[in-house]
Amino acid sequence: LAAARGAGRGALTLAQRHLLVTLEVTSKDKSYPWVLQWLTQQAAPLPASGGGGGLLSRLFGGGGGGALRQHVSVETVVERLANGKVETRFEFLPCPGRHVLRYNGSLLMVERQREQQTVDFQTGQPWESVRLTALGRSPTLFSDLLAEAQAHADSKRELTTTVFSNWGTEWRPFGQPRRRRPLASVVLDQGIAEHILNDVTEFVDSQEWYVSRGIPYRRGYLLHGPPGSGKSSFVAALAGHLGYDICVLNLAEPGLTDDRLSHALTHAPAGSLVLLEDVDSAFQKDRDP
């Protein structure tokens, strides 16, 4: 009997190694909220026409999905609209535990885990992970799933710009995402905005040229003028026009060293414009000309 049990466990281990593929996404990874939002979308109730469906309805082809929607955790989202009004909504996520869904013709076992005794020291939130398991040996299914989850997340933030501030060794979102500002709403001298926009567009399209020649792929612009002349407003409008976020770093900040500045510039979030404020503070005023 013991030999049979050992053989069964060995067969199960062999099957897991060679017949199943597994993807683990931790709460530290940038794609973690994307995956949770994607699962929320899959768990949405069926429309009256019978199309789409929740997780269990996708599995059984019926109009249910109620079992998943009965065991959920809530995430409260507070957003400030462009008119200043604060809007609150509740997003229901699959609670910790195991769930099953059918995706692209394959069955997926979804296991959300939450460590009660381990927390993220930066956010204070419990350490979490989502483990996805499917039959097969190719991770292509997970690549498609992550791409779809990213596209879903991008569609929700398509018309907003996120402003990041530097905290120690990392960049963190500062406040709620802001509605994108039209480039035409910033008034500058004739031709300046168009010249910078054309130059930035050419630079964005020339990444391969820089990489093939071993040239650092970066570009900077010095915007000068008295306070209130539209420098920061133009950066916000330019970021919104390009679909970029903004990373704000004040060079006059106490405790900003050369090493920290270099680290911040190197680890800025992808798809962001870095706005260095008070650049003149980086130069010694009593230095000989």
Side-chain angles (χ1 to χ4, degrees), residues 5-252:
R5 291 178 178 175
R9 287 194 295 266
L12 180 59
T13 302
L14 185 65
Q16 290 177 341
R17 290 181 177 179
H18 298 281
L19 300 180
L20 299 177
V21 288
T22 301
L23 171 69
E24 182 179 41
V25 184
T26 67
S27 55
K28 189 66 175 177
D29 191 84
K30 185 175 182 179
S31 65
Y32 187 75
W34 303 346
V35 174
L36 290 185
Q37 291 176 6
W38 183 85
L39 291 173
T40 302
Q41 181 191 37
Q42 306 307 305
L46 281 173
S49 61
L55 300 187
L56 296 184
S57 64
R58 284 173 175 247
L59 174 60
F60 297 111
L68 178 70
R69 294 193 295 273
Q70 291 174 353
H71 305 283
V72 297
S73 59
V74 64
E75 178 177 331
T76 304
V77 180
V78 180
E79 291 183 331
R80 183 176 297 275
L81 304 180
N83 58 6
K85 181 181 178 181
V86 176
E87 182 180 83
T88 302
R89 71 175 187 272
F90 304 100
E91 293 187 351
F92 295 100
L93 310 174
C95 67
R98 294 183 177 180
H99 312 279
V100 180
L101 71 102
R102 181 181 293 276
Y103 174 70
N104 284 355
S106 299
L107 288 179
L108 280 180
M109 173 69 73
V110 181
E111 183 177 7
R112 183 182 179 189
Q113 299 177 330
R114 176 181 296 163
E115 297 289 342
Q116 298 296 339
Q117 298 180 349
T118 305
V119 298
D120 188 330
F121 291 105
Q122 296 176 345
T123 63
Q125 299 295 323
W127 181 266
E128 294 187 1
S129 67
V130 170
R131 184 186 296 269
L132 307 174
T133 304
L135 288 172
R137 304 183 63 179
S138 173
T140 304
L141 179 71
F142 297 141
S143 299
D144 296 339
L145 187 152
L146 291 174
E148 186 174 319
Q150 181 183 7
H152 174 67
D154 289 343
S155 67
K156 298 183 65 175
R157 59 182 296 274
E158 182 179 2
L159 299 179
T160 61
T161 299
T162 300
V163 178
F164 292 88
S165 60
N166 189 257
W167 293 74
T169 60
E170 66 176 353
W171 292 95
R172 297 182 184 178
F174 183 77
Q176 297 295 327
R178 306 175 183 179
R179 181 69 62 88
R180 291 184 181 178
R181 180 168 182 171
L183 195 61
S185 66
V186 182
V187 180
L188 300 178
D189 290 343
Q190 184 176 4
I192 293 181
E194 292 77 8
H195 173 72
I196 296 178
L197 177 60
N198 293 336
D199 190 76
V200 171
T201 302
E202 182 180 357
F203 171 73
V204 171
D205 296 335
S206 305
Q207 180 176 3
E208 185 177 349
W209 187 90
Y210 282 79
V211 174
S212 63
R213 290 163 176 79
I215 302 175
Y217 182 63
R218 59 173 178 261
R219 197 169 190 83
Y221 302 90
L222 177 62
L223 305 180
H224 59 89
S229 58
K231 300 184 296 297
S232 297
S233 298
F234 176 73
V235 173
L238 180 63
H241 183 84
L242 299 173
Y244 278 33
D245 293 323
I246 303 175
C247 296
V248 180
L249 184 61
N250 194 321
L251 296 185

